[in-house]
Amino acid sequence: NSIQNQRTIQINPTLNFVNLYNKFGFYKRITVVDSTKKTTLAESFLKALLSLKNISGNYTKNEGTFLPGYLPQTQIIGYDFDASAPGIGFLMGSQNDIRDRALANGWITPDPLQNQLYVNTMDTKLNLRGTIEPLTDLRIELTAFKNEAKNYSTNFRFDAERGAFGNLSPITNGSYSVSFIALKTAFTDNNADKLSTVFQNFLANREIISRRLGTENPNSSALISEGYADGYGKNSQDVLVPAFIAAYQGKNASKTRLNSFPNIPVPNWRLTYNGLTKIPFMSNLFTSVDITHGYTSTYNVNSFNTLIRYSEANGAVNVRDVNSNFLPEFQFSQVTIFEQFVPLLGIDVRMKNNVTANLEYRKSRALSFGITNSQLAQQNDEAVVLGFGYRTNNFRFPFGLFKGVTLKNDLNFKLDVALRDN
């Protein structure tokens, strides 16, 4: 037989700070608009301090266990009362490793022909969202996320030669993505020079990262060859990925983290300002004027897996590949950074006569770094979008089959023209 369970943990917190602020009298006083009264420095400071309006989030974690070779039966809700198996914890979705208990109670078949895989799955998703209003007409929306998936599988069966159960060919694979900021280098290479300064920094960072890794690993000798520490050559994955992250984040490679999985999701943002219609000249022409700016950036490890030969001694990796580099704990196939300004700057207006117009300048950058062939591809994209529109109600068709027919709902005309340089 085989047994399988699954559990989902989900949290959806929402914090409305406006409701909290309204419980204090001073907040109501400083938010009342009075054109005859001057705002004091203290009130301005309090408004800025209390500009955070709300925070919401969503955290979901799905986990599951599949155990083959299971000998007991099932009676009620999956429980075998004769064997007291598989335990209330497993029935309630516990993800504690059940194998030791199963072996101790004789729940697993010793048949060496049992070849199904024992599997653990884990998938977590974290999404955060917040709103800040530092000025009356300025709205900043913050978003952050982190997604991680891991699957562990092994052929857990009886080994006749050893006379014991063992894990044959255990492997962990998965994917990883997190919100990220690479803003410092977004405009660095915008010149006619074909030589990328950020890429040159990436190459130079390798020596710095290599020496730091060599210092931390007691299994690496003190030997430095061509600027690189023993076991951490210029094409070692453990050297390449942190050097890549540091260069394109614009950070100092001597101080940046050596982890290839950035743990903390960094907020991205979208800004909207709609206060220009308060100017008399603008209010005479336009019903609304919105100025927008948005930035999103993502770091992805498209897929990773463990290596069977990987092992540790003295608290660090001690096994090397054919190039004498230490094996990474997780082998990557590709890492990517995708960054976009949508828009870098945008203006959206609605005139008194229901004519609308919008103008946007967009910019994006995609970096795909293939670890297996040590090749980095960069794609830049710039676009200008110009749009016009018109909204009318009770539209009457002037010609054709429907001539004279009047629509009772609104009709929106929209024309967008884009010029893109890729």
Side-chain angles (χ1 to χ4, degrees), residues 108 134 136 203 220 242 265 290 292 330 351 362 376:
I108 304 296
T136 304
L203 298 180
S220 173
D290 293 337
T292 58
F330 296 105
M351 301 179 189
R362 301 176 179 178
L376 174 61

Side-chain angles (χ1 to χ4, degrees), residues 105-399:
N105 289 279
W107 296 345
I108 304 296
T109 177
D111 189 342
L113 298 180
Q114 195 292 113
N115 59 2
Q116 282 186 285
L117 298 178
Y118 168 82
V119 178
N120 274 130
T121 61
M122 185 272 289
D123 185 8
T124 61
K125 298 182 185 297
L126 172 67
N127 290 281
L128 299 172
R129 185 178 295 271
T131 303
I132 300 175
E133 296 179 6
L135 302 174
T136 304
D137 302 303
L138 177 62
R139 182 182 178 89
I140 304 173
E141 297 174 315
L142 302 175
T143 56
F145 75 91
K146 179 180 175 182
N147 299 330
E148 182 179 7
K150 276 186 179 179
N151 297 311
Y152 171 80
S153 61
T154 180
N155 196 337
F156 181 68
R157 66 180 184 182
F158 185 77
D159 186 345
E161 293 184 3
R162 293 175 52 239
F165 281 82
N167 293 305
L168 305 180
S169 304
I171 187 169
T172 299
N173 56 59
S175 60
Y176 187 86
S177 62
V178 65
S179 56
F180 189 76
I181 286 186
L183 192 62
K184 284 187 178 180
T185 63
F187 304 95
T188 303
D189 291 328
N190 282 5
N191 53 53
D193 189 356
K194 297 296 187 289
L195 187 67
S196 169
T197 55
V198 186
F199 182 73
Q200 298 305 313
N201 291 338
F202 165 41
L203 298 180
N205 284 348
R206 294 180 302 172
E207 290 188 17
I208 301 172
I209 298 295
S210 172
R211 295 187 184 193
R212 289 179 61 193
L213 289 168
T215 302
E216 291 186 1
N217 189 344
N219 301 313
S220 173
S221 70
L223 180 65
I224 302 294
S225 176
E226 298 180 354
Y228 295 92
D230 172 48
Y232 295 102
K234 61 183 179 180
N235 290 323
S236 164
Q237 178 186 295
D238 286 339
V239 171
L240 287 172
V241 177
F244 171 69
I245 294 174
Y248 285 90
Q249 275 196 309
K251 291 186 175 181
N252 186 340
S254 300
K255 299 178 181 179
T256 188
R257 295 187 61 184
L258 298 175
N259 188 358
S260 298
F261 297 95
N263 289 325
I264 301 175
V266 184
N268 298 157
W269 59 83
R270 182 173 179 83
L271 281 66
T272 304
Y273 180 72
N274 55 15
L276 290 179
T277 50
K278 291 184 177 180
I279 302 172
F281 168 73
M282 301 291 284
S283 63
N284 292 335
L285 296 174
F286 305 106
T287 304
S288 65
V289 178
D290 293 337
I291 297 176
T292 58
H293 162 74
Y295 177 82
T296 60
S297 183
T298 306
Y299 170 81
N300 298 289
V301 179
N302 294 340
S303 65
F304 63 82
N305 61 271
T306 53
L307 299 170
I308 295 176
R309 293 182 54 236
Y310 180 86
S311 68
E312 294 184 359
N314 304 317
V317 59
N318 66 330
V319 182
R320 303 177 187 240
D321 62 18
V322 293
N323 297 315
S324 294
N325 290 321
F326 288 112
L327 295 177
E329 181 178 4
F330 296 105
Q331 186 176 49
F332 299 168
S333 59
Q334 185 185 61
V335 296
T336 63
I337 294 174
F338 181 65
E339 175 185 59
Q340 59 178 348
F341 297 88
V342 182
L344 182 62
L345 181 63
I347 301 175
D348 195 332
V349 300
R350 180 179 295 279
M351 301 179 189
K352 296 288 186 178
N353 58 1
N354 283 336
V355 173
T356 62
N358 62 280
L359 177 64
E360 287 187 356
Y361 172 60
R362 301 176 179 178
K363 179 180 174 65
S364 66
R365 175 176 61 166
L367 297 151
S368 301
F369 186 23
I371 306 299
T372 53
N373 60 1
S374 298
Q375 185 178 46
L376 174 61
Q378 177 172 328
Q379 177 175 300
N380 295 327
D381 188 277
E382 295 181 78
V384 176
V385 180
L386 179 63
F388 294 97
Y390 178 70
R391 187 183 69 180
T392 179
N393 53 5
N394 297 325
F395 176 76
R396 187 175 64 181
F397 284 91
F399 50 80

Side-chain angles (χ1 to χ4, degrees), residues 14-82:
T14 300
L15 305 176
N16 190 326
F17 288 93
V18 175
N19 291 346
L20 175 64
Y21 301 154
N22 281 327
K23 296 183 182 295
F24 302 97
F26 69 86
Y27 178 75
K28 295 179 180 179
R29 290 195 298 271
I30 65 175
T31 53
V32 173
V33 178
D34 186 351
S35 57
T36 63
K37 181 184 175 184
K38 261 193 171 183
T39 304
T40 65
L41 183 61
E43 289 175 339
S44 299
F45 175 74
L46 278 174
K47 283 184 178 180
L49 193 64
L50 304 177
S51 61
L52 180 61
K53 301 304 180 185
N54 62 70
I55 296 177
S56 61
N58 174 265
Y59 174 78
T60 304
K61 185 175 185 179
N62 293 307
E63 298 173 286
T65 296
F66 176 80
L67 178 67
Y70 180 72
L71 292 175
Q73 304 296 313
T74 177
Q75 293 169 351
I76 300 176
I77 63 169
Y79 200 78
D80 186 333
F81 290 93
D82 296 330

